[in-house]
Amino acid sequence: KQWYQRRVRGLSFTVENAAIKTEEYFNDKRDVRRDVLPTLISQMRSLLEYYTTQKLFWLCRSSLLVVYDGLTPEKGTVKMIDFAHNTTQDNPEDNTHVDVGLRNLIDILSHIHREQTHEWKHDT
């Protein structure tokens, strides 16, 4: 039942509510876990830097696995997963949406960290 509830919650994300839904993910029912966000933001920036400078493959789309320890402050990890939709450098496709997605998520987390989710504006 919990898996289904998480799936339904994920499907309810829209451009308009992305910041609020992301903030809900980091809420441990007492407070928003802003302490873990700098670690996650740093890891996402590293992923973005690697992805935008590497020349081995082009991602058409991918997913991020974001995990944080609810008990340990500042402990979290970000992994890029689901590489079923990629191609080699010889056959590049439009890959800007991966860049935009990562940048938007970094922006959302940065705003949540600064407690300004209501001011977040997405890139198009």
Side-chain angles (χ1 to χ4, degrees):
K1 184 175 180 178
Q2 287 180 347
W3 174 86
Y4 179 75
Q5 289 171 337
R6 287 190 300 266
R7 179 171 166 73
V8 169
R9 183 183 313 146
L11 294 173
S12 68
F13 273 60
T14 65
V15 170
E16 293 77 23
N17 71 13
I20 293 166
K21 296 286 187 177
T22 303
E23 186 176 61
E24 286 174 2
Y25 174 76
F26 290 100
N27 190 320
D28 66 2
K29 299 191 178 167
R30 290 177 283 155
D31 198 9
V32 176
R33 290 291 311 274
R34 288 179 176 83
D35 59 312
V36 74
L37 296 180
T39 299
L40 299 176
I41 292 166
S42 174
Q43 290 177 29
M44 287 181 196
R45 285 184 176 140
S46 294
L47 277 172
L48 181 62
E49 181 179 351
Y50 172 78
Y51 175 72
T52 57
T53 59
Q54 63 83 28
K55 302 293 184 206
L56 299 173
F57 60 90
W58 301 96
L59 289 174
C60 300
R61 69 183 83 106
S62 185
S63 299
L64 292 179
L65 175 64
V66 178
V67 180
Y68 69 95
D69 186 336
L71 302 174
T72 307
E74 302 176 12
K75 190 171 182 181
T77 190
V78 177
K79 302 289 181 187
M80 190 172 268
I81 61 172
D82 186 14
F83 295 99
H85 305 285
N86 67 60
T87 184
T88 64
Q89 178 183 354
D90 299 332
N91 187 23
E93 296 181 21
D94 179 20
N95 65 337
T96 57
H97 50 288
V98 174
D99 296 358
V100 170
L102 265 172
R103 290 179 202 280
N104 280 338
L105 187 54
I106 290 167
D107 287 347
I108 288 170
L109 293 178
S110 296
H111 284 289
I112 292 170
H113 184 247
R114 292 189 307 263
E115 301 184 69
Q116 299 173 351
T117 56
H118 61 281
E119 294 181 12
W120 176 78
K121 302 281 189 237
H122 74 285
D123 288 341
T124 53

